[in-house]
Amino acid sequence: MSTATTTPASAEKSAVGTAHTRVEGRDKVTGAARYAGEVPFADLAHGWLVLSTVARGRIRAVDHEPVLAMPGVLTVLHHGNAPRLDTDFVGLLGSRPDPTCAVFQHDRVPHMGWPVALVVAETSEQAREAAEALVVHYASEPHDVAFSGGRTDAYPADGHMPAVTDKGDLDTELAASAAVVDAVYTTPEEHHNPMEPHAATARWDGGRLEVVDSNQGTTWVRGELANLFSLDPAAVRVLSEHVGGGFGSKGVRAHQVAAVMAATLLQRPVRVVLTRRQMFSLAGYRSPTTQRVRLGCDADGRLRALEHRSLSLTSTVHEFVEPSAAVARAMYDADAHHTANRVVRLDVPTPTWMRAPGEAPGSFALESALDELAERCGIDPIDLRLRNEPEKGPVSGLPFGSRNLRACFHEGARRFGWAERDPRPGLRREGRWLLGTGTAAASFPAGAAPSTAVLTAEPDGSFTVRIAAADIGTGARTALTLVAADALRVAPDRVRVRIGDSDFGPAMIAGGSMGTRSWAWAVTAAAGELRERLDLGADIPPEGVTVRSDTSAAVGALAQRERHSFGAQFAEVAVDVTTGEVRVRRMLGVFAAGRIVNPLTARNQLVGGMTWGISMALHEEAVRDTASGGHVGADLAGYHVATHADVPLVEADWVDDPDPDDPVGIKGIGEIGIVGAAAAIANAVWHATGVRHRDLPIRPDRVLAAGQGAARA
């Protein structure tokens, strides 16, 4: 027997709030950390997905016999021989599964890149060669992939929130306004492209299904697989120790389900890895949007009317909504306040969550419109926003837990040098470069979901935390180490955090900026109970002392207030008048994001989001060929993202943001960094050139065309 000791809080420096390098950092940079596609298995077979080459129709035949005769090929799965799946269920996230992941169940092809077969072979090279040789015959049908704001078949769609909200008489308030903006903004289709591709290995071990996967929530994936294959959840284990990025794309996809099918048939481990090109069809994406924003204000700049209507697309097999109009429901109030999210069904893959779903494209439209209104009113853009700070949720009517947007703008303006800015556009010049600055506000909800944590006091005086969290590059492992250390009142080096195992109990996914917040709540609760037991002098047996916490009951109290992270984005750009090139020279983001657990990884997340904002504003654009229904350039050569040369000085910081009624004080920072970033850049381009860009990305050809149009006008 031994006794673990904890230290009184007054005698121990707080770990939370101090910079701490990643606890798994050495393993990652030395290659010791293994990702899903490189975990070794004995007798491993490899599967390669075959995707449809038509955008709509039926499969007439799969010529699998010649492929089965190729070297190393073990089997070919398709709709004619695959096991049946159960898709009649509502999953962990409150929706039915996307049929795209329920592979090989019928002969219908609803979009280009639909999974039609899986070839399994002894090696990955053999599987790929055979998959590329497989001949599939189709009965092709006319398809429709043309997205535009003029679609008459669009309809309101709820998603995870009401499709429509409205109060007041919009037309009356617009007519009585001293200044009005009525504009349409568009954003293109965008793709996640995490550095680590989607990969999964499935095997049966003693009658239990084990899946080693790259995902954003092992609880989520275990539940979906158990439902799809009609298994007891206890008979499924999902492991996801290291994840090289997700951004919303790493949920349940075709490759995991196909791997389980093949492993079940062959009774040996089977690995399926998506190629970069396949990810463009199978990993989800951000829908393009067309958004109409109408704003009206009085002579003092106070909003009388606000309308934000957004149109996005979804597939014909599963409904997903990009809720871009939702950002207006938290940011600004008006006497007449109307928002609506609508979708149109097309013959395309199903979109999915992508970093700040809704808020990222929605903030581009809303914050660009606010900038246009400031110009028409002759009011400073920051001043206009601060004049319209709501006292409570514009739609919910709930009080804010904390809303320190004003402090973000004040601190950001001071550091950025906003006071020296001449508001008139097109005046600053360095040779052929026109210079401009812009700003925008940001917000993202701060929610929480039930999670379970298991803590053990070990005989050697250390502590082990087990929770089915996912670290997708955010530093969650390190953050939870610091949270646990403070809750236990011990140094961080006495705490070991184990994550990414569905056997640890249910836990929130790494998504919606709710992961660390939800997990920290559970860890804190378990640590408090364990500390009480140890403080009473409990002996530590060889197996340790273990407690388990579940925060299901406590999470419900959050609904009493509206909780968001907020931020102020600033950008300076240079625009080449001869080539149309836009260069971001510097960016600054100041955020109110609750309690910052680890400043080192927090700043990393915020800067990463802002960098993605540069990509969104100037580069990212997936283009569909309406004739074929597929992508043009579905790879990282044709799909441009910001690189080192595009990202000069990007700074992120935060202001104090206490919420005395919040049990953990953590709000989440994974998504707030991208919100408003593209709008700040677009507003800076207007300030540099005097020309407003309402369509992303702001490509050189668009800059030149807009400049020529302005010159003719």
Side-chain angles (χ1 to χ4, degrees):
M1 297 286 186
S2 61
T3 302
T5 60
T6 60
T7 304
S10 59
E12 190 76 26
K13 181 182 178 183
S14 174
V16 169
T18 59
H20 200 291
T21 56
R22 294 172 189 258
V23 295
E24 83 286 11
R26 180 176 292 276
D27 287 347
K28 284 184 173 177
V29 299
T30 60
R34 294 187 183 273
Y35 292 83
E38 55 190 18
V39 176
F41 288 92
D43 200 29
L44 178 66
H46 298 265
W48 201 276
L49 284 166
V50 179
L51 308 186
S52 71
T53 56
V54 300
R56 184 181 175 88
R58 289 186 178 275
I59 302 169
R60 292 172 49 207
V62 179
D63 292 346
H64 60 270
E65 292 296 338
V67 168
L68 287 172
M70 294 180 69
V73 174
L74 301 170
T75 190
V76 178
L77 284 170
H78 53 80
H79 74 279
N81 61 14
R84 298 300 92 186
L85 299 172
D86 180 7
T87 59
D88 188 21
F89 65 90
V90 175
L92 175 68
L93 300 185
S95 62
R96 294 188 178 279
D98 182 347
T100 306
C101 72
V103 292
F104 319 140
Q105 298 299 290
H106 52 75
D107 64 353
R108 292 289 312 170
V109 174
H111 62 75
M112 175 77 77
W114 177 263
V116 296
L118 178 79
V119 177
V120 186
E122 295 288 352
T123 70
S124 177
E125 293 79 9
Q126 290 170 334
R128 181 170 193 168
E129 182 180 12
E132 292 174 350
L134 183 68
V135 176
V136 181
H137 301 275
Y138 302 96
S140 185
E141 300 171 4
H143 62 266
D144 181 4
V145 299
F147 176 78
S148 74
R151 299 283 310 209
T152 59
D153 50 348
Y155 60 92
D158 289 345
H160 289 274
M161 62 185 66
V164 176
T165 66
D166 62 86
K167 68 177 181 181
D169 188 322
L170 193 68
D171 291 335
T172 298
E173 295 298 336
L174 285 170
S177 295
V180 172
V181 167
D182 184 347
V184 174
Y185 305 85
T186 70
T187 61
E189 180 179 320
E190 300 166 354
H191 286 258
H192 306 74
N193 280 307
M195 289 189 68
E196 180 205 17
H198 295 58
T201 304
R203 68 170 182 168
W204 287 91
D205 183 12
R208 194 176 190 215
L209 174 64
E210 182 177 289
V211 179
V212 176
D213 187 30
S214 176
N215 63 57
Q216 294 180 231
T218 57
T219 300
W220 177 21
V221 175
R222 180 190 68 171
E224 298 288 292
L225 291 177
N227 280 318
L228 286 166
F229 287 92
S230 302
L231 299 171
D232 183 338
V236 181
R237 185 185 189 189
V238 176
L239 298 164
S240 186
E241 186 177 4
H242 297 287
V243 182
F247 312 118
S249 71
K250 286 186 174 172
V252 182
R253 301 289 174 195
H255 65 293
Q256 297 127 318
V257 178
V260 173
M261 282 184 173
T264 303
L265 174 68
L266 298 173
Q267 287 299 298
R268 60 187 285 189
V270 176
R271 174 171 295 158
V272 180
V273 180
L274 298 186
T275 66
R276 184 68 61 181
R277 182 171 289 274
Q278 288 174 339
M279 286 163 59
F280 275 80
S281 297
L282 298 180
Y285 57 97
R286 196 193 304 279
S287 165
T289 71
T290 296
Q291 303 174 59
R292 184 185 183 188
V293 180
R294 291 200 289 173
L295 303 175
C297 68
D298 62 22
D300 293 326
R302 289 179 175 82
L303 289 173
R304 300 187 61 150
L306 185 156
E307 181 185 38
H308 191 168
R309 298 172 60 86
S310 176
L311 174 66
S312 60
L313 60 75
T314 190
S315 69
T316 60
V317 298
H318 186 69
E319 184 178 272
F320 181 88
V321 183
E322 183 75 22
S324 300
V327 67
R329 301 175 186 179
M331 285 304 300
Y332 307 107
D333 203 354
D335 296 326
H337 193 288
H338 291 213
T339 66
N341 291 307
R342 299 182 304 138
V343 297
V344 59
R345 290 186 178 273
L346 298 176
D347 301 316
V348 296
T350 308
T352 194
W353 298 279
M354 185 166 168
R355 198 172 197 170
E359 275 79 6
S363 65
F364 164 66
L366 182 62
E367 293 297 315
S368 295
L370 259 292
D371 211 65
E372 295 198 49
L373 188 65
E375 174 196 352
R376 296 188 186 183
C377 294
I379 299 175
D380 180 85
I382 294 178
D383 192 21
L384 179 70
R385 288 169 171 83
L386 296 184
R387 292 184 192 189
N388 286 285
E389 272 290 272
E391 295 181 358
K392 59 184 180 180
V395 172
S396 71
L398 295 173
F400 289 101
S402 62
R403 185 183 171 104
N404 290 333
L405 180 58
R406 190 178 299 275
C408 295
F409 269 119
H410 286 163
E411 176 63 13
R414 182 190 67 79
R415 291 179 53 172
F416 196 74
W418 188 263
E420 289 76 43
R421 176 185 191 260
D422 187 327
R424 295 172 297 171
L427 295 182
R428 291 178 60 201
R429 191 174 187 127
E430 289 181 2
R432 68 176 191 266
W433 297 94
L434 291 171
L435 309 182
T437 53
T439 189
S443 75
F444 195 82
S451 296
T452 297
V454 179
L455 265 68
T456 300
E458 307 288 359
D460 63 0
S462 67
F463 297 85
T464 302
V465 178
R466 294 175 178 84
I467 186 166
D471 191 333
I472 61 175
T474 57
R477 249 190 211 87
T478 310
L480 293 177
T481 299
L482 303 183
V483 167
D486 275 5
L488 291 166
R489 300 175 184 170
V490 301
D493 60 8
R494 290 177 60 185
V495 176
R496 184 169 72 112
V497 174
R498 295 184 58 194
I499 64 172
D501 187 338
S502 63
D503 276 1
F504 294 160
M508 174 58 187
I509 66 169
S513 292
M514 292 192 287
T516 299
R517 174 174 168 79
S518 302
W519 307 323
W521 198 340
V523 168
T524 300
E529 183 180 340
L530 180 59
R531 195 179 65 245
E532 287 179 6
R533 292 180 60 177
L534 296 178
D535 288 347
L536 291 174
D539 289 332
I540 309 297
E543 69 275 13
V545 174
T546 298
V547 300
R548 180 187 180 99
S549 72
D550 186 329
T551 60
S552 298
V555 166
L558 289 176
Q560 297 172 0
R561 289 184 179 272
E562 185 164 326
R563 289 183 165 86
H564 290 253
S565 291
F566 292 95
Q569 302 269 19
F570 296 84
E572 180 179 10
V573 304
V575 182
D576 189 328
V577 296
T578 60
T579 66
E581 179 185 8
V582 178
R583 284 280 179 182
V584 175
R585 289 195 165 186
R586 60 187 176 114
M587 288 190 74
L588 169 67
V590 178
F591 302 92
R595 183 184 181 209
I596 302 300
V597 178
N598 184 0
L600 192 62
T601 51
R603 187 169 281 107
N604 173 271
Q605 282 298 292
L606 295 170
V607 169
M610 295 169 67
T611 301
W612 199 339
I614 296 175
S615 218
M616 178 181 176
L618 304 180
H619 302 283
E620 293 194 48
E621 182 179 25
V623 178
R624 286 194 179 275
D625 175 15
T626 55
S628 69
H631 283 113
V632 177
D635 50 48
L636 290 183
Y639 182 84
H640 292 176
V641 297
T643 61
H644 285 298
D646 300 302
V647 183
L649 179 62
V650 180
E651 297 179 287
D653 212 335
W654 45 84
V655 298
D656 288 340
D657 188 32
D659 182 349
D661 297 324
D662 191 292
V664 291
I666 298 169
K667 284 189 174 179
I669 53 174
E671 286 154 296
I672 185 68
I674 192 176
V675 182
I681 294 169
N683 293 339
V685 171
W686 168 82
H687 187 232
T689 64
V691 178
R692 180 67 60 178
H693 288 268
R694 301 188 181 101
D695 305 297
L696 294 184
I698 306 174
R699 303 189 312 250
D701 62 308
R702 288 175 170 172
V703 173
L704 291 177
Q708 293 166 359
R712 287 194 297 269

